[in-house]
Amino acid sequence: MPADRRELGSNPQASVFDKQQNSAVRSPMPFPGPLPSKLLPYIRQSTSWHQILLLILTVVVFLIEVVPLELQRRIVNDAVKHRAFNLIIVLCAVYAGVALVHGLLKLALNVYRGWVAEYVTRDLRKRVRELEAGGDPNPMSEERGIEISMIVAESEPIGLFVAGALSEPLLQGGILATVLAYMVHIDPWMTLIAAAIFVPQFAFVPLMQSAINRRTKSGISILRTLSASLADPKRAMEDNLEKDESRIDKLFRLSMGVFKLKYAMNFLMNYGTHLQVIAALLYGGYLVLKSDLEIGGVVAFISGVSRLTDPWGDLVNYFRDLSLAHVKYHLLATTTNQIAERHGTNGNGAAAEKPRGVDETEKMGQARS
């Protein structure tokens, strides 16, 4: 070849770039440390101080919750009994101030929770992404599909739960306790009647929630299998298309089952609340007619029953999310650590066996589900 042709085709900068690229490929990225196998240690590891601040803010929020109930009672009683409009104006102004402070505190609590949720979601996504970048450049399609599913779909629900993992039950339980204590203060027997109507929910809510959890867990396994299938073009060209359609149909049935159970449970809980209000009106009206209770007490009691609905529903949602978050986090942590081990490290440089094939990954996914 002529010398001028060789000089024309030579590119020193390109050869230097190729050497740098090859050396970069030969030096894999460090793997992130292994995730704790349980959700609570991960919460303590990633958000310990934030959880303490959230708890402090939560206590302040639920302690203020009962103040508007007492203000309602006093405003109605003063209007009926004393007919002192100046006092009503003062109480209404206090009510407006308390409502403003309470609303601003809840706003701050919710925004702070949102920040913690996004912080945890970002942490989990970065861990999985670093695992993928530092691993085998040609991973199994099933493995790649699972990683995509963990980054896109599975990290966010865990982050949302971690944000309220400690503060949410404290907030809703605190509201229930303070409102119930105030209702007992108004009239113990009326509170007992309302509580008796409430008891059946302790029977049907756990049963229906358990059925929802089973369907959700099955749905996660199916979504992972679909992600793995979509990441493998060879499997898409084979008879696996029919299997994927069957999985999609099964996922549809599971989701519809969750919707039916969830909204049926909400219907029964809301109907129970209406029965409690009816009982309060019947018994409270009887006491008012006998002059054993002022009308403001009935109004405050009915308002208290309404205020119990939201925290009880939120507690039910919390325990549903708790069980689901444990399942989702366990699947994500186990899968992440197992993939790291198969890539050749478990977070401290220990060697591990590389994946042997498609069948092994499918069996591992079936065992987790």
Side-chain angles (χ1 to χ4, degrees), residues 115-156:
W115 183 88
V116 173
E118 291 303 317
Y119 174 82
V120 172
T121 301
R122 182 182 64 179
D123 176 66
L124 290 173
R125 284 173 173 166
K126 282 187 175 182
R127 283 174 181 258
V128 179
R129 185 66 184 89
E130 290 169 3
L131 177 66
E132 181 186 14
D136 186 358
N138 298 304
M140 295 181 295
S141 59
E142 284 80 9
E143 187 175 290
R144 176 61 57 83
I146 290 173
E147 289 172 351
I148 292 172
S149 177
M150 288 190 294
I151 292 175
V152 175
E154 297 181 27
S155 299
E156 187 172 3

mmCIF file of all heavy atoms in Angstrom, residues 115-156:
data_model
loop_
_atom_site.group_PDB
_atom_site.id
_atom_site.type_symbol
_atom_site.label_atom_id
_atom_site.label_comp_id
_atom_site.label_asym_id
_atom_site.label_seq_id
_atom_site.Cartn_x
_atom_site.Cartn_y
_atom_site.Cartn_z
ATOM 1 N N TRP A 115 -40.850 14.295 49.250
ATOM 2 C CA TRP A 115 -39.412 14.360 49.032
ATOM 3 C C TRP A 115 -38.731 13.058 49.443
ATOM 4 O O TRP A 115 -37.850 12.544 48.732
ATOM 5 C CB TRP A 115 -38.823 15.525 49.840
ATOM 6 C CG TRP A 115 -37.352 15.695 49.617
ATOM 7 C CD1 TRP A 115 -36.732 16.425 48.643
ATOM 8 C CD2 TRP A 115 -36.302 15.085 50.393
ATOM 9 N NE1 TRP A 115 -35.368 16.319 48.762
ATOM 10 C CE2 TRP A 115 -35.073 15.499 49.829
ATOM 11 C CE3 TRP A 115 -36.292 14.243 51.500
ATOM 12 C CZ2 TRP A 115 -33.848 15.100 50.323
ATOM 13 C CZ3 TRP A 115 -35.064 13.835 52.001
ATOM 14 C CH2 TRP A 115 -33.857 14.262 51.427
ATOM 15 N N VAL A 116 -39.108 12.520 50.608
ATOM 16 C CA VAL A 116 -38.519 11.262 51.067
ATOM 17 C C VAL A 116 -38.838 10.131 50.084
ATOM 18 O O VAL A 116 -37.978 9.290 49.773
ATOM 19 C CB VAL A 116 -39.019 10.913 52.480
ATOM 20 C CG1 VAL A 116 -38.547 9.521 52.896
ATOM 21 C CG2 VAL A 116 -38.534 11.942 53.492
ATOM 22 N N ALA A 117 -40.065 10.113 49.571
ATOM 23 C CA ALA A 117 -40.455 9.075 48.610
ATOM 24 C C ALA A 117 -39.587 9.132 47.358
ATOM 25 O O ALA A 117 -39.085 8.104 46.878
ATOM 26 C CB ALA A 117 -41.936 9.232 48.245
ATOM 27 N N GLU A 118 -39.411 10.328 46.805
ATOM 28 C CA GLU A 118 -38.603 10.463 45.597
ATOM 29 C C GLU A 118 -37.131 10.176 45.888
ATOM 30 O O GLU A 118 -36.416 9.643 45.033
ATOM 31 C CB GLU A 118 -38.764 11.870 45.019
ATOM 32 C CG GLU A 118 -40.146 12.136 44.452
ATOM 33 C CD GLU A 118 -40.527 11.134 43.380
ATOM 34 O OE1 GLU A 118 -39.670 10.815 42.530
ATOM 35 O OE2 GLU A 118 -41.685 10.660 43.397
ATOM 36 N N TYR A 119 -36.667 10.513 47.086
ATOM 37 C CA TYR A 119 -35.284 10.236 47.470
ATOM 38 C C TYR A 119 -35.027 8.722 47.487
ATOM 39 O O TYR A 119 -34.014 8.243 46.964
ATOM 40 C CB TYR A 119 -35.013 10.836 48.849
ATOM 41 C CG TYR A 119 -33.659 10.501 49.426
ATOM 42 C CD1 TYR A 119 -32.528 11.219 49.068
ATOM 43 C CD2 TYR A 119 -33.526 9.454 50.347
ATOM 44 C CE1 TYR A 119 -31.288 10.906 49.599
ATOM 45 C CE2 TYR A 119 -32.289 9.130 50.883
ATOM 46 C CZ TYR A 119 -31.175 9.870 50.511
ATOM 47 O OH TYR A 119 -29.958 9.539 51.033
ATOM 48 N N VAL A 120 -35.952 7.971 48.086
ATOM 49 C CA VAL A 120 -35.795 6.513 48.156
ATOM 50 C C VAL A 120 -35.923 5.894 46.763
ATOM 51 O O VAL A 120 -35.158 4.990 46.395
ATOM 52 C CB VAL A 120 -36.839 5.912 49.117
ATOM 53 C CG1 VAL A 120 -36.816 4.391 49.053
ATOM 54 C CG2 VAL A 120 -36.574 6.379 50.541
ATOM 55 N N THR A 121 -36.885 6.376 45.973
ATOM 56 C CA THR A 121 -37.053 5.854 44.614
ATOM 57 C C THR A 121 -35.783 6.072 43.798
ATOM 58 O O THR A 121 -35.319 5.176 43.080
ATOM 59 C CB THR A 121 -38.245 6.547 43.925
ATOM 60 O OG1 THR A 121 -39.424 6.318 44.692
ATOM 61 C CG2 THR A 121 -38.447 6.003 42.524
ATOM 62 N N ARG A 122 -35.202 7.268 43.911
ATOM 63 C CA ARG A 122 -33.959 7.561 43.193
ATOM 64 C C ARG A 122 -32.831 6.639 43.655
ATOM 65 O O ARG A 122 -32.037 6.134 42.836
ATOM 66 C CB ARG A 122 -33.574 9.021 43.410
ATOM 67 C CG ARG A 122 -32.307 9.449 42.671
ATOM 68 C CD ARG A 122 -31.959 10.890 42.973
ATOM 69 N NE ARG A 122 -31.630 11.073 44.384
ATOM 70 C CZ ARG A 122 -31.265 12.241 44.901
ATOM 71 N NH1 ARG A 122 -31.216 13.327 44.124
ATOM 72 N NH2 ARG A 122 -30.973 12.339 46.180
ATOM 73 N N ASP A 123 -32.742 6.402 44.957
ATOM 74 C CA ASP A 123 -31.697 5.537 45.490
ATOM 75 C C ASP A 123 -31.811 4.123 44.935
ATOM 76 O O ASP A 123 -30.813 3.530 44.498
ATOM 77 C CB ASP A 123 -31.782 5.515 47.021
ATOM 78 C CG ASP A 123 -30.775 4.562 47.639
ATOM 79 O OD1 ASP A 123 -29.569 4.818 47.515
ATOM 80 O OD2 ASP A 123 -31.200 3.550 48.246
ATOM 81 N N LEU A 124 -33.024 3.568 44.933
ATOM 82 C CA LEU A 124 -33.209 2.204 44.436
ATOM 83 C C LEU A 124 -32.915 2.120 42.941
ATOM 84 O O LEU A 124 -32.270 1.173 42.463
ATOM 85 C CB LEU A 124 -34.641 1.732 44.718
ATOM 86 C CG LEU A 124 -34.986 1.482 46.191
ATOM 87 C CD1 LEU A 124 -36.469 1.188 46.340
ATOM 88 C CD2 LEU A 124 -34.164 0.329 46.756
ATOM 89 N N ARG A 125 -33.387 3.103 42.177
ATOM 90 C CA ARG A 125 -33.150 3.082 40.728
ATOM 91 C C ARG A 125 -31.661 3.196 40.409
ATOM 92 O O ARG A 125 -31.161 2.542 39.492
ATOM 93 C CB ARG A 125 -33.935 4.211 40.071
ATOM 94 C CG ARG A 125 -35.424 3.916 39.950
ATOM 95 C CD ARG A 125 -36.212 5.100 39.447
ATOM 96 N NE ARG A 125 -37.605 4.711 39.185
ATOM 97 C CZ ARG A 125 -38.589 5.574 38.995
ATOM 98 N NH1 ARG A 125 -38.343 6.883 39.037
ATOM 99 N NH2 ARG A 125 -39.815 5.146 38.753
ATOM 100 N N LYS A 126 -30.945 4.037 41.156
ATOM 101 C CA LYS A 126 -29.510 4.168 40.921
ATOM 102 C C LYS A 126 -28.775 2.884 41.265
ATOM 103 O O LYS A 126 -27.821 2.495 40.575
ATOM 104 C CB LYS A 126 -28.958 5.334 41.750
ATOM 105 C CG LYS A 126 -29.254 6.699 41.148
ATOM 106 C CD LYS A 126 -28.538 7.804 41.922
ATOM 107 C CE LYS A 126 -28.728 9.155 41.235
ATOM 108 N NZ LYS A 126 -28.006 10.244 41.933
ATOM 109 N N ARG A 127 -29.203 2.212 42.319
ATOM 110 C CA ARG A 127 -28.553 0.945 42.690
ATOM 111 C C ARG A 127 -28.693 -0.085 41.571
ATOM 112 O O ARG A 127 -27.729 -0.744 41.196
ATOM 113 C CB ARG A 127 -29.162 0.387 43.984
ATOM 114 C CG ARG A 127 -28.692 1.081 45.254
ATOM 115 C CD ARG A 127 -29.468 0.542 46.444
ATOM 116 N NE ARG A 127 -29.099 1.167 47.696
ATOM 117 C CZ ARG A 127 -28.301 0.618 48.608
ATOM 118 N NH1 ARG A 127 -27.783 -0.563 48.380
ATOM 119 N NH2 ARG A 127 -28.030 1.259 49.724
ATOM 120 N N VAL A 128 -29.919 -0.211 41.049
ATOM 121 C CA VAL A 128 -30.145 -1.182 39.972
ATOM 122 C C VAL A 128 -29.405 -0.758 38.713
ATOM 123 O O VAL A 128 -28.821 -1.582 38.007
ATOM 124 C CB VAL A 128 -31.656 -1.336 39.707
ATOM 125 C CG1 VAL A 128 -31.892 -2.318 38.566
ATOM 126 C CG2 VAL A 128 -32.372 -1.826 40.957
ATOM 127 N N ARG A 129 -29.412 0.550 38.413
ATOM 128 C CA ARG A 129 -28.734 1.035 37.203
ATOM 129 C C ARG A 129 -27.231 0.825 37.292
ATOM 130 O O ARG A 129 -26.593 0.426 36.313
ATOM 131 C CB ARG A 129 -29.046 2.529 37.012
ATOM 132 C CG ARG A 129 -28.483 3.104 35.711
ATOM 133 C CD ARG A 129 -29.174 2.462 34.513
ATOM 134 N NE ARG A 129 -28.602 2.925 33.259
ATOM 135 C CZ ARG A 129 -27.591 2.370 32.633
ATOM 136 N NH1 ARG A 129 -26.991 1.311 33.174
ATOM 137 N NH2 ARG A 129 -27.144 2.832 31.480
ATOM 138 N N GLU A 130 -26.643 1.077 38.462
ATOM 139 C CA GLU A 130 -25.216 0.836 38.642
ATOM 140 C C GLU A 130 -24.891 -0.648 38.530
ATOM 141 O O GLU A 130 -23.837 -1.022 38.014
ATOM 142 C CB GLU A 130 -24.764 1.370 40.004
ATOM 143 C CG GLU A 130 -24.756 2.894 40.080
ATOM 144 C CD GLU A 130 -24.560 3.392 41.505
ATOM 145 O OE1 GLU A 130 -24.376 2.543 42.391
ATOM 146 O OE2 GLU A 130 -24.607 4.616 41.713
ATOM 147 N N LEU A 131 -25.799 -1.477 39.007
ATOM 148 C CA LEU A 131 -25.610 -2.914 38.891
ATOM 149 C C LEU A 131 -25.560 -3.333 37.436
ATOM 150 O O LEU A 131 -24.713 -4.120 37.013
ATOM 151 C CB LEU A 131 -26.743 -3.648 39.610
ATOM 152 C CG LEU A 131 -26.739 -5.172 39.536
ATOM 153 C CD1 LEU A 131 -25.548 -5.733 40.259
ATOM 154 C CD2 LEU A 131 -28.029 -5.723 40.117
ATOM 155 N N GLU A 132 -26.473 -2.765 36.633
ATOM 156 C CA GLU A 132 -26.508 -3.096 35.205
ATOM 157 C C GLU A 132 -25.267 -2.569 34.498
ATOM 158 O O GLU A 132 -24.668 -3.266 33.670
ATOM 159 C CB GLU A 132 -27.761 -2.500 34.555
ATOM 160 C CG GLU A 132 -27.878 -2.819 33.077
ATOM 161 C CD GLU A 132 -29.047 -2.089 32.446
ATOM 162 O OE1 GLU A 132 -29.589 -1.166 33.064
ATOM 163 O OE2 GLU A 132 -29.401 -2.439 31.302
ATOM 164 N N ALA A 133 -24.846 -1.341 34.815
ATOM 165 C CA ALA A 133 -23.696 -0.750 34.137
ATOM 166 C C ALA A 133 -22.393 -1.438 34.519
ATOM 167 O O ALA A 133 -21.462 -1.511 33.717
ATOM 168 C CB ALA A 133 -23.608 0.736 34.476
ATOM 169 N N GLY A 134 -22.323 -1.963 35.728
ATOM 170 C CA GLY A 134 -21.088 -2.590 36.172
ATOM 171 C C GLY A 134 -21.035 -4.082 35.940
ATOM 172 O O GLY A 134 -20.067 -4.726 36.319
ATOM 173 N N GLY A 135 -22.067 -4.653 35.327
ATOM 174 C CA GLY A 135 -22.127 -6.090 35.145
ATOM 175 C C GLY A 135 -21.736 -6.534 33.760
ATOM 176 O O GLY A 135 -20.990 -5.877 33.032
ATOM 177 N N ASP A 136 -22.252 -7.670 33.382
ATOM 178 C CA ASP A 136 -21.962 -8.266 32.086
ATOM 179 C C ASP A 136 -22.517 -7.376 30.977
ATOM 180 O O ASP A 136 -23.704 -7.041 30.993
ATOM 181 C CB ASP A 136 -22.611 -9.660 32.033
ATOM 182 C CG ASP A 136 -22.234 -10.420 30.768
ATOM 183 O OD1 ASP A 136 -21.516 -9.835 29.935
ATOM 184 O OD2 ASP A 136 -22.655 -11.581 30.640
ATOM 185 N N PRO A 137 -21.686 -6.972 29.978
ATOM 186 C CA PRO A 137 -22.219 -6.144 28.893
ATOM 187 C C PRO A 137 -23.220 -6.873 28.024
ATOM 188 O O PRO A 137 -23.965 -6.246 27.272
ATOM 189 C CB PRO A 137 -20.971 -5.768 28.096
ATOM 190 C CG PRO A 137 -19.964 -6.815 28.441
ATOM 191 C CD PRO A 137 -20.246 -7.214 29.846
ATOM 192 N N ASN A 138 -23.263 -8.195 28.104
ATOM 193 C CA ASN A 138 -24.232 -8.988 27.334
ATOM 194 C C ASN A 138 -25.015 -9.894 28.278
ATOM 195 O O ASN A 138 -24.849 -11.115 28.272
ATOM 196 C CB ASN A 138 -23.515 -9.836 26.269
ATOM 197 C CG ASN A 138 -22.778 -8.974 25.264
ATOM 198 O OD1 ASN A 138 -23.374 -8.107 24.633
ATOM 199 N ND2 ASN A 138 -21.471 -9.204 25.130
ATOM 200 N N PRO A 139 -25.867 -9.313 29.105
ATOM 201 C CA PRO A 139 -26.593 -10.129 30.083
ATOM 202 C C PRO A 139 -27.679 -10.946 29.424
ATOM 203 O O PRO A 139 -28.060 -10.705 28.274
ATOM 204 C CB PRO A 139 -27.197 -9.077 31.018
ATOM 205 C CG PRO A 139 -27.388 -7.890 30.147
ATOM 206 C CD PRO A 139 -26.258 -7.905 29.172
ATOM 207 N N MET A 140 -28.183 -11.923 30.169
ATOM 208 C CA MET A 140 -29.322 -12.684 29.678
ATOM 209 C C MET A 140 -30.518 -11.758 29.515
ATOM 210 O O MET A 140 -30.694 -10.805 30.250
ATOM 211 C CB MET A 140 -29.664 -13.807 30.658
ATOM 212 C CG MET A 140 -28.595 -14.870 30.787
ATOM 213 S SD MET A 140 -29.117 -16.154 31.943
ATOM 214 C CE MET A 140 -29.201 -15.224 33.449
ATOM 215 N N SER A 141 -31.362 -12.058 28.526
ATOM 216 C CA SER A 141 -32.521 -11.203 28.261
ATOM 217 C C SER A 141 -33.469 -11.188 29.451
ATOM 218 O O SER A 141 -34.067 -10.159 29.763
ATOM 219 C CB SER A 141 -33.251 -11.692 27.013
ATOM 220 O OG SER A 141 -33.687 -13.029 27.184
ATOM 221 N N GLU A 142 -33.619 -12.342 30.132
ATOM 222 C CA GLU A 142 -34.491 -12.382 31.309
ATOM 223 C C GLU A 142 -33.969 -11.432 32.381
ATOM 224 O O GLU A 142 -34.735 -10.710 33.018
ATOM 225 C CB GLU A 142 -34.567 -13.810 31.862
ATOM 226 C CG GLU A 142 -35.440 -14.735 31.045
ATOM 227 C CD GLU A 142 -34.708 -15.234 29.820
ATOM 228 O OE1 GLU A 142 -33.500 -15.003 29.701
ATOM 229 O OE2 GLU A 142 -35.358 -15.848 28.978
ATOM 230 N N GLU A 143 -32.653 -11.440 32.567
ATOM 231 C CA GLU A 143 -32.051 -10.572 33.567
ATOM 232 C C GLU A 143 -32.258 -9.108 33.211
ATOM 233 O O GLU A 143 -32.595 -8.285 34.063
ATOM 234 C CB GLU A 143 -30.560 -10.901 33.674
ATOM 235 C CG GLU A 143 -29.843 -10.185 34.791
ATOM 236 C CD GLU A 143 -28.411 -10.659 34.901
ATOM 237 O OE1 GLU A 143 -28.208 -11.818 35.320
ATOM 238 O OE2 GLU A 143 -27.511 -9.870 34.568
ATOM 239 N N ARG A 144 -32.061 -8.763 31.941
ATOM 240 C CA ARG A 144 -32.253 -7.386 31.509
ATOM 241 C C ARG A 144 -33.715 -6.954 31.672
ATOM 242 O O ARG A 144 -34.010 -5.838 32.108
ATOM 243 C CB ARG A 144 -31.816 -7.237 30.043
ATOM 244 C CG ARG A 144 -32.063 -5.845 29.451
ATOM 245 C CD ARG A 144 -31.301 -4.781 30.208
ATOM 246 N NE ARG A 144 -29.885 -5.020 30.240
ATOM 247 C CZ ARG A 144 -29.037 -4.670 29.240
ATOM 248 N NH1 ARG A 144 -29.508 -4.075 28.166
ATOM 249 N NH2 ARG A 144 -27.756 -4.908 29.341
ATOM 250 N N GLY A 145 -34.633 -7.844 31.355
ATOM 251 C CA GLY A 145 -36.045 -7.512 31.514
ATOM 252 C C GLY A 145 -36.422 -7.263 32.956
ATOM 253 O O GLY A 145 -37.183 -6.344 33.270
ATOM 254 N N ILE A 146 -35.863 -8.078 33.881
ATOM 255 C CA ILE A 146 -36.138 -7.885 35.303
ATOM 256 C C ILE A 146 -35.561 -6.555 35.780
ATOM 257 O O ILE A 146 -36.184 -5.820 36.542
ATOM 258 C CB ILE A 146 -35.574 -9.062 36.119
ATOM 259 C CG1 ILE A 146 -36.384 -10.333 35.840
ATOM 260 C CG2 ILE A 146 -35.602 -8.754 37.608
ATOM 261 C CD1 ILE A 146 -35.804 -11.576 36.462
ATOM 262 N N GLU A 147 -34.355 -6.221 35.319
ATOM 263 C CA GLU A 147 -33.745 -4.949 35.710
ATOM 264 C C GLU A 147 -34.574 -3.766 35.226
ATOM 265 O O GLU A 147 -34.761 -2.784 35.950
ATOM 266 C CB GLU A 147 -32.321 -4.875 35.154
ATOM 267 C CG GLU A 147 -31.353 -5.825 35.850
ATOM 268 C CD GLU A 147 -30.003 -5.876 35.162
ATOM 269 O OE1 GLU A 147 -29.887 -5.305 34.056
ATOM 270 O OE2 GLU A 147 -29.083 -6.493 35.715
ATOM 271 N N ILE A 148 -35.064 -3.846 34.000
ATOM 272 C CA ILE A 148 -35.915 -2.774 33.470
ATOM 273 C C ILE A 148 -37.175 -2.627 34.326
ATOM 274 O O ILE A 148 -37.599 -1.527 34.671
ATOM 275 C CB ILE A 148 -36.285 -3.056 32.004
ATOM 276 C CG1 ILE A 148 -35.035 -2.940 31.117
ATOM 277 C CG2 ILE A 148 -37.362 -2.088 31.506
ATOM 278 C CD1 ILE A 148 -35.267 -3.393 29.698
ATOM 279 N N SER A 149 -37.780 -3.757 34.670
ATOM 280 C CA SER A 149 -38.991 -3.722 35.489
ATOM 281 C C SER A 149 -38.715 -3.098 36.850
ATOM 282 O O SER A 149 -39.504 -2.306 37.355
ATOM 283 C CB SER A 149 -39.544 -5.143 35.656
ATOM 284 O OG SER A 149 -40.661 -5.143 36.502
ATOM 285 N N MET A 150 -37.563 -3.429 37.458
ATOM 286 C CA MET A 150 -37.241 -2.887 38.777
ATOM 287 C C MET A 150 -37.006 -1.382 38.712
ATOM 288 O O MET A 150 -37.404 -0.638 39.599
ATOM 289 C CB MET A 150 -36.012 -3.600 39.356
ATOM 290 C CG MET A 150 -36.285 -5.031 39.784
ATOM 291 S SD MET A 150 -34.928 -5.769 40.725
ATOM 292 C CE MET A 150 -33.634 -5.841 39.490
ATOM 293 N N ILE A 151 -36.337 -0.901 37.644
ATOM 294 C CA ILE A 151 -36.060 0.526 37.526
ATOM 295 C C ILE A 151 -37.327 1.310 37.234
ATOM 296 O O ILE A 151 -37.599 2.349 37.829
ATOM 297 C CB ILE A 151 -35.008 0.773 36.418
ATOM 298 C CG1 ILE A 151 -33.644 0.221 36.853
ATOM 299 C CG2 ILE A 151 -34.885 2.264 36.122
ATOM 300 C CD1 ILE A 151 -32.581 0.320 35.790
ATOM 301 N N VAL A 152 -38.157 0.806 36.302
ATOM 302 C CA VAL A 152 -39.303 1.566 35.817
ATOM 303 C C VAL A 152 -40.507 1.443 36.745
ATOM 304 O O VAL A 152 -41.146 2.449 37.088
ATOM 305 C CB VAL A 152 -39.676 1.109 34.384
ATOM 306 C CG1 VAL A 152 -40.951 1.795 33.914
ATOM 307 C CG2 VAL A 152 -38.534 1.407 33.422
ATOM 308 N N ALA A 153 -40.842 0.231 37.162
ATOM 309 C CA ALA A 153 -42.141 0.002 37.798
ATOM 310 C C ALA A 153 -42.085 -0.309 39.284
ATOM 311 O O ALA A 153 -43.008 0.025 40.018
ATOM 312 C CB ALA A 153 -42.867 -1.144 37.075
ATOM 313 N N GLU A 154 -41.028 -0.953 39.767
ATOM 314 C CA GLU A 154 -41.059 -1.501 41.118
ATOM 315 C C GLU A 154 -40.450 -0.588 42.177
ATOM 316 O O GLU A 154 -40.731 -0.745 43.363
ATOM 317 C CB GLU A 154 -40.337 -2.862 41.142
ATOM 318 C CG GLU A 154 -41.010 -3.902 40.262
ATOM 319 C CD GLU A 154 -40.307 -5.241 40.320
ATOM 320 O OE1 GLU A 154 -39.668 -5.535 41.341
ATOM 321 O OE2 GLU A 154 -40.390 -5.995 39.339
ATOM 322 N N SER A 155 -39.604 0.357 41.789
ATOM 323 C CA SER A 155 -38.933 1.207 42.775
ATOM 324 C C SER A 155 -39.868 2.254 43.363
ATOM 325 O O SER A 155 -39.826 2.530 44.565
ATOM 326 C CB SER A 155 -37.718 1.896 42.136
ATOM 327 O OG SER A 155 -36.785 0.952 41.690
ATOM 328 N N GLU A 156 -40.735 2.841 42.527
ATOM 329 C CA GLU A 156 -41.566 3.952 42.987
ATOM 330 C C GLU A 156 -42.549 3.558 44.084
ATOM 331 O O GLU A 156 -42.665 4.283 45.084
ATOM 332 C CB GLU A 156 -42.308 4.576 41.805
ATOM 333 C CG GLU A 156 -43.069 5.834 42.175
ATOM 334 C CD GLU A 156 -43.629 6.549 40.954
ATOM 335 O OE1 GLU A 156 -43.464 6.030 39.840
ATOM 336 O OE2 GLU A 156 -44.238 7.616 41.135
#
